[in-house]
Amino acid sequence: VPTLGLDVRPEWAPLWAHTLAHSRPAAPVCLERADVLDGVPGGWDLVVANPPYFVPGEGPVSPDPWKRAARTETTVTLAGFVRAALGAVRPGGRVCLVVDRRREGDVFEAAAAFGAAVQRWVRVGRRRVLVALGTGGGVDGPESWSDTEAMVWVELARTRAPAR
């Protein structure tokens, strides 16, 4: 089954190509230009993304306009991104996000507002959190990984939260 990669900026296609050339994806990846504000095609088992980390005026501001646009809510809010991602998964599917730890609560609120629950979350080092959203019950508390352990973060998307 092919995997669909969406990016708002066509200029980033060479970066995707480089990443894919040095990775071992489980399935072929097709990259398309799309904006989450326009809606995302639905019916996916899994959506993995790193939405904007910072609200305007907070966090580091990169001099690189591409990085600045990717890291800061300039065109879509974190809640809007969560809504679009949840709309793209089929019933029973998962949304896995990488966010700044300061936005952890914002993801939880957005998930609840759009009828989803946090199924698993992993705090990675001091700065990041990996969050798996879906329908069904939530979990009681976070796991913690070191930055080195996070190199296997895609496992978050492949495994279900342990029963509690």
Side-chain angles (χ1 to χ4, degrees):
V1 175
T3 299
L4 176 64
L6 301 176
D7 208 313
V8 68
R9 302 197 58 111
E11 306 91 86
W12 288 347
L15 299 175
W16 273 81
H18 176 80
T19 298
L20 292 172
H22 294 89
S23 301
R24 293 183 193 168
V29 177
C30 173
L31 176 63
E32 292 184 17
R33 190 235 161 266
D35 189 329
V36 296
L37 293 175
D38 297 332
V40 179
W44 297 97
D45 292 326
L46 173 67
V47 171
V48 179
N50 61 325
Y53 288 157
F54 308 110
V55 296
E58 293 183 12
V61 178
S62 175
D64 182 314
W66 290 10
K67 289 180 181 178
R68 187 170 48 249
R71 294 179 182 166
T72 306
E73 293 177 338
T74 55
T75 60
V76 66
T77 64
L78 180 58
F81 204 99
V82 168
R83 184 187 67 216
L86 289 169
V89 294
R90 65 167 177 73
R94 292 183 108 174
V95 172
C96 294
L97 305 173
V98 181
V99 297
D100 184 271
R101 247 171 114 169
R102 294 172 286 188
R103 305 295 307 273
E104 185 176 286
D106 297 338
V107 173
F108 293 12
E109 288 176 19
F114 301 115
V118 175
Q119 294 184 327
R120 187 174 182 190
W121 86 97
V122 178
R123 291 179 175 154
V124 179
R126 294 178 303 192
R127 297 184 347 211
R128 290 174 298 193
V129 63
L130 311 175
V131 183
L133 307 175
T135 56
V139 295
D140 296 328
E143 300 171 47
S144 292
W145 291 351
S146 69
D147 285 328
T148 303
E149 291 170 314
M151 296 304 289
V152 295
W153 76 271
V154 78
E155 289 303 315
L156 174 66
R158 293 183 184 160
T159 61
R160 294 283 178 200
R164 295 192 186 240

